[in-house]
């Protein structure tokens, strides 16, 4: 399970890229006009308070762990919580 899309107020949608549990990936935001902007080009998700708050809650309010062993990533815990931990790490807001 992975977090792939996030819907935000005011018709913004965030697309999350990456494969499986690997926390490397990118977040792209699509506004009402349909234009997509890579969030890392904007330095962080902090310019979008709703997104930043959502991802922080996803990170803080779960008990999963993400472990790297060699070239593989493993999640310990509920699959949904692991997916949210991966999302938080992709956004550089995870523990």
């Amino acid at each position: 399970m992975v977090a792939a899309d996030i819907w935000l107020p005011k018709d913004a949608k965030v697309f999350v890229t990456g494969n499986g549990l690997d926390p490397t990936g990118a977040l792209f935001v699509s506004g009402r006009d349909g234009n997509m902007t890579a969030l890392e080009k904007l330095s962080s998700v902090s310019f979008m308070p709703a997104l930043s708050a959502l991802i922080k809650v996803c990170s803080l309010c779960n008990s999963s762990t993400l472990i790297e062993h060699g070239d593989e990533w493993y999640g310990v815990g509920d699959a949904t919580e692991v997916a949210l931990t991966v999302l938080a790490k992709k956004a550089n807001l995870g523990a």
Side-chain angles (χ1 to χ4, degrees):
M1 179 181 297
V2 296
D5 298 326
I6 302 167
W7 292 90
L8 296 171
K10 299 183 182 175
D11 298 327
K13 183 176 180 183
V14 177
F15 300 91
V16 183
T17 65
N19 295 317
L21 299 180
D22 188 344
T24 57
L27 279 69
F28 292 86
V29 64
S30 174
R32 188 176 296 187
D33 58 5
N35 290 330
M36 304 242 327
T37 304
L39 292 178
E40 65 265 6
K41 289 182 182 175
L42 302 170
S43 77
S44 75
V45 297
S46 62
F47 80 99
M48 297 181 73
L51 179 61
S52 180
L54 173 70
I55 294 174
K56 285 178 185 176
V57 168
C58 289
S59 175
L60 296 172
C61 294
N62 90 47
S63 58
S64 69
T65 305
L66 193 60
I67 300 168
E68 182 179 20
H69 184 70
D71 291 337
E72 297 289 323
W73 288 89
Y74 299 93
V76 178
D78 178 78
T80 302
E81 290 188 355
V82 170
L84 295 175
T85 296
V86 173
L87 170 66
K89 288 198 179 285
K90 286 179 181 180
N92 294 319
L93 292 172

